């Protein structure tokens, strides 16, 4: 159940066999290779050198390792860029993003699609039936380094063609975008311009379509690779390694192409990426926040339709965040077990050996730079492997009692028109997830329109555009449903819906939103009634023809209920959010465990896992039979027992 990322092209060939033996000896079963090797595989156009990779594949397989091979399309080589500069992406300011790192390509370039298909065809024909090969990884980290979107001429032409297919006629496009406003009307699809470098805010409907277009391109690009791999390598599974807190494209649509999802887990690095307060950042700097990794495990288990890997697990300090502390002792082991508790089939560490050259010299590996000496993280990985052997096969995951509906287009819409500078969809979603997990409950993520039956509680932090499938799913939910602010506030063309928000949800909620207010830092509206706390960042002015459970100081509804559907009309502060979750779980008759801020539980089958992010120890319930750990779970430690 453990793997590692390995780069044979980085090390002398005489070292490969020893590395492979050491991997097996420490309990590693899977190894990912090849995702950045294009320049070594094709030295110049049609001049291929597969001999070194042949030997590397054979060496790893002969040691009993199972191989995951990456397609090398994240790193187009210099000769390709020189021959076809049209593959390069452009930033929002119109500047080309050139060669010298990675992901230097735009999904809009037909040349890029043709060249990508060509190298995937060659590699999959060569290795598709290799006896050591068990699976493929397409590309590497779509969207990383802000590479989902590009603003060059190739992008403009591809976007115009996408719009032509979507709207058929220019009059339909003008109507959908509301181009009569500010004389933005277009005469033909050739007039389509990119929504950047404008004097002031560009048309939000155009921006949202531009985001949809790029998201569709990534899914289509991935599907092209998957089709080639399935043709040339039948019987092997396919995955892609997604990233944390990158919602620039619809991961569910890419997941539809795949056999399983995977993601790259860097819990400490993501502390710097997420908009925590400085107090929270310092608190979790050396352990990570207890919900960062878990949030993504649950998300990608959904993207993978129940199957996921961690393709890259942080094994020590990384190199790419603003600050890169050393994890506290025990955290690499804890993160590994936590991923397994959430259903991961394999946890693969990045990387086998720390590089002593190039951009990632400060990124830890399981071995120290250039050596065969295990790092602190390497020793913890070996310890985890021994524990896994003792614990044995883990049971299958079960359906959680709580569902959280996560909607990528809402992230795009709230980024385009936040209305308040601190309205961030990912943050709202994360805080709702954190609050329900503080009660010891497991969570399944569900895509918009996914089946919600069987969940006792369904959380929808925000869903701005509600299509027919999403509406039907919410209507069919047989548990409690909690809708958050701004839900149903835009239609598919980014217009305020007729009849006012929540638009198509109004029959479910019995409410109508007449005004909204964004609250700058320091301002809040007190909430009292069935809940207490305050609205921060955002509140809505609501007319309610249904039960009002809590209200603002002026008497306006803050929380309403119609049958099984609750609606919260604000961004809740920590007190209000905790109160809301307490009320919901009591109403849903869910059994909870009140946990300190640094402890989380997770169930996998009949096993219960406890994870302590510190600083204080935590006592497990009395009368249980421990499988791993002790009754006093120390900081940065864990325990496992049977339910």
């Amino acid at each position: 159940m453990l793997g590692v990322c390995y780069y044979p092209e980085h090390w002398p060939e005489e070292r490969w066999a020893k590395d492979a033996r050491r991997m097996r000896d420490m309990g590693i079963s899977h190894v990912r290779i090849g995702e950045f090797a294009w320049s070594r595989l094709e030295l110049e156009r049609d001049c291929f050198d597969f001999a070194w990779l042949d030997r590397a594949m054979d060496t790893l397989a002969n040691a009993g390792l199972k191989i995951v091979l990456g397609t090398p399309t994240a790193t187009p080589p210099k000769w390709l860029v020189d021959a076809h500069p049209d593959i390069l992406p452009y930033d929002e300011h119109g500047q080309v993003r050139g060669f010298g790192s990675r992901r230097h390509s735009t999904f809009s370039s037909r040349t890029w699609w043709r060249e990508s298909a060509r190298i995937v065809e060659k590699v999959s024909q060569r290795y598709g039936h290799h006896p050591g090969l068990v699976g493929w990884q397409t590309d590497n980290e779509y969207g990383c380094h802000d590479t989902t979107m590009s603003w060059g001429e190739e992008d403009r032409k591809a976007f115009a063609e996408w719009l032509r297919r979507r709207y058929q006629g220019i009059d339909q496009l003008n109507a959908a975008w509301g181009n009569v406003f500010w004389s933005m009307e277009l005469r033909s699809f050739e007039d389509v311009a990119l929504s950047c470098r404008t004097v002031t805010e560009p048309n939000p409907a155009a921006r949202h379509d531009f985001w949809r277009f790029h998201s569709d391109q990534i899914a289509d690009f991935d599907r092209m690779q998957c089709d080639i791999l399935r043709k040339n390598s039948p019987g092997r599974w396919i995955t892609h390694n997604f990233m944390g807190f990158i919602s620039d494209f619809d991961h569910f649509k890419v997941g539809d192409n795949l056999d399983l999802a995977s993601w790259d887990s860097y819990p400490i690095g993501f502390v710097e990426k997420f908009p925590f307060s400085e107090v929270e950042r310092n608190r979790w700097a050396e352990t990570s926040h207890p919900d960062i990794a878990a949030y993504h495990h649950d998300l990608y288990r959904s993207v993978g339709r129940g199957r996921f890997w961690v393709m890259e697990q942080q094994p020590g300090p990384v190199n790419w965040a603003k600050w890169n502390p050393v994890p506290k002792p025990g955290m690499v082991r804890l993160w590994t077990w936590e991923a397994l508790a959430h259903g991961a089939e394999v946890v693969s560490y990045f990387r086998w050996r720390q590089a002593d050259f190039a951009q990632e010299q400060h990124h830890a590996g399981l071995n120290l730079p250039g050596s065969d000496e295990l790092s602190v993280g390497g020793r913890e990985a070996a310890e985890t492997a021994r524990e896994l052997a003792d614990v044995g096969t883990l049971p299958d995951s079960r359906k959680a009692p709580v569902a959280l509906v996560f909607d990528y287009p809402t992230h795009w819409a709230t980024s385009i028109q936040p209305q308040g500078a601190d309205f961030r969809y990912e943050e709202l979603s994360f805080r709702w997830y954190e609050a329900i997990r503080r009660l010891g409950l497991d969570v399944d993520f569900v895509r918009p329109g996914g089946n919600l039956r069987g969940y006792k509680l369904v959380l929808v932090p925000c869903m701005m555009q509600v299509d027919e499938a999403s509406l039907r799913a919410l209507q069919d939910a047989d548990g409690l449903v909690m809708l958050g602010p701004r839900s149903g506030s835009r239609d598919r063309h980014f217009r305020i819906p007729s009849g006012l928000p929540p638009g198509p949800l109004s029959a479910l909620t019995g409410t109508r939103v007449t005004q909204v207010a964004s609250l700058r830092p320091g301002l809040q509206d007190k909430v009292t009634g069935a809940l207490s706390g305050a609205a921060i960042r955002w509140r809505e002015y609501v007319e309610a023809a249904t039960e009002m459970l809590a209200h603002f100081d002026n008497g306006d509804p803050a929380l309403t209920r119609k049958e099984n559907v609750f609606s919260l009309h604000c961004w809740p502060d920590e007190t209000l959010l905790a109160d809301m979750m307490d009320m919901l779980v009591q109403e849903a008759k869910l059994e909870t465990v009140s946990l300190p801020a640094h402890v989380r539980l997770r169930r996998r089958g009949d096993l219960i896992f406890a994870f302590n992010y510190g600083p204080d120890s935590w006592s497990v319930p009395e009368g249980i039979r421990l499988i791993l750990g002790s009754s006093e779970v120390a900081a940065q430690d864990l325990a496992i027992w049977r339910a």
Side-chain angles (χ1 to χ4, degrees), residues 73-374:
T73 47
T75 52
K78 184 63 162 60
W79 59 261
L80 181 57
V81 173
D82 290 344
H84 300 289
D86 60 297
I87 74 172
L88 291 173
Y90 282 74
D91 67 18
E92 200 166 355
H93 304 290
Q95 298 298 312
V96 68
R97 304 180 75 180
F99 179 83
S101 58
R102 63 181 186 177
R103 300 221 60 83
H104 42 279
S105 59
T106 171
F107 294 102
S108 300
S109 168
R110 295 297 94 190
T111 303
W112 174 238
W113 277 57
R114 183 178 67 249
E115 293 298 318
S116 296
R118 187 178 61 85
I119 190 64
V120 173
E121 187 82 48
K122 289 287 187 181
V123 172
S124 59
Q125 286 176 344
R126 182 81 177 193
Y127 300 108
H129 295 274
H130 192 283
L133 182 73
V134 295
W136 292 91
Q137 175 189 293
T138 56
D139 204 279
N140 186 82
E141 296 179 346
Y142 293 137
C144 193
H145 318 304
D146 296 319
T147 55
T148 293
M149 290 189 281
S150 173
W151 288 266
E153 179 59 18
E154 294 293 314
D155 307 290
R156 190 200 65 79
K157 291 188 293 186
F159 182 43
E161 183 55 36
W162 183 89
L163 292 170
R164 189 191 305 275
R165 294 193 301 271
R166 183 177 180 86
Y167 292 103
Q168 302 298 308
I170 197 64
D171 291 340
Q172 289 91 326
L173 173 64
N174 281 324
W177 285 5
N179 279 342
V180 67
F181 195 82
W182 285 353
S183 291
M184 294 182 294
E185 289 166 303
L186 306 176
R187 297 163 300 170
S188 71
F189 287 102
E190 284 69 36
D191 283 348
V192 169
L194 300 183
S195 299
C196 59
R197 303 187 296 282
T198 54
V199 172
T200 186
E201 181 185 0
N203 188 324
R207 291 181 67 191
H208 205 251
D209 266 349
F210 191 58
W211 220 318
R212 283 193 188 105
F213 153 71
H214 278 293
S215 179
D216 286 353
Q217 286 198 120
I218 291 177
D220 291 345
F221 180 82
D222 187 80
R223 187 180 307 112
M224 173 269 289
Q225 293 206 19
C226 290
D227 288 346
I228 295 171
L229 295 174
R230 289 196 171 96
K231 176 187 68 174
N232 293 331
S233 189
R236 275 75 175 181
W237 49 257
I238 304 173
T239 192
H240 174 77
N241 58 328
F242 300 96
M243 279 288 289
F245 295 126
I246 289 183
S247 300
D248 293 352
F249 63 96
D250 192 330
H251 295 33
F252 289 114
K253 287 190 175 181
V254 175
D256 290 340
N257 305 329
L258 308 172
D259 298 300
L260 60 96
S262 58
W263 81 285
D264 297 347
S265 179
Y266 294 96
I268 284 181
F270 295 149
V271 169
E272 294 295 333
K273 188 172 183 179
F274 189 80
F276 289 117
S277 68
E278 288 304 302
V279 171
E280 285 182 291
R281 281 206 175 102
N282 288 333
R283 179 177 187 179
W284 306 116
E286 298 170 296
T287 63
S288 185
H289 185 288
D291 293 304
I292 281 182
Y295 177 90
H296 290 94
H297 296 326
D298 291 340
L299 170 62
Y300 290 120
R301 189 178 64 252
S302 175
V303 170
R305 300 178 301 284
R307 297 187 63 194
F308 84 101
W309 281 31
V310 173
M311 191 60 77
E312 297 182 14
Q313 175 61 64
Q314 179 174 355
V318 299
N319 67 298
W320 47 264
K322 289 183 178 179
W323 287 273
N324 297 285
V326 173
K328 285 190 174 181
M331 287 311 304
V332 173
R333 169 178 171 262
L334 185 152
W335 292 329
T336 305
W337 272 111
E338 186 173 48
L340 297 170
H342 283 259
E345 296 178 9
V346 170
V347 178
S348 173
Y349 301 97
F350 185 90
R351 45 189 279 166
W352 173 246
R353 181 180 292 109
Q354 184 173 344
D356 54 7
F357 59 95
Q359 284 94 325
E360 294 180 348
Q361 296 177 53
H362 286 291
H363 195 304
L366 296 185
N367 291 271
L368 296 176
S371 81
D372 295 333
E373 181 183 351
L374 288 179

Side-chain angles (χ1 to χ4, degrees), residues 36 41 99 116 225 239 249 255 299-300 346 377 440 455 457 468 514 533 540-541 569 588 613 632 636:
F36 298 133
L41 294 172
F99 179 83
S116 296
Q225 293 206 19
T239 192
F249 63 96
L299 170 62
Y300 290 120
V346 170
Y455 290 105
L457 175 59
E468 292 182 6
T514 59
E540 297 169 349
Y541 292 76
H569 302 292
Y613 279 69
E632 284 294 313
Q636 292 83 59

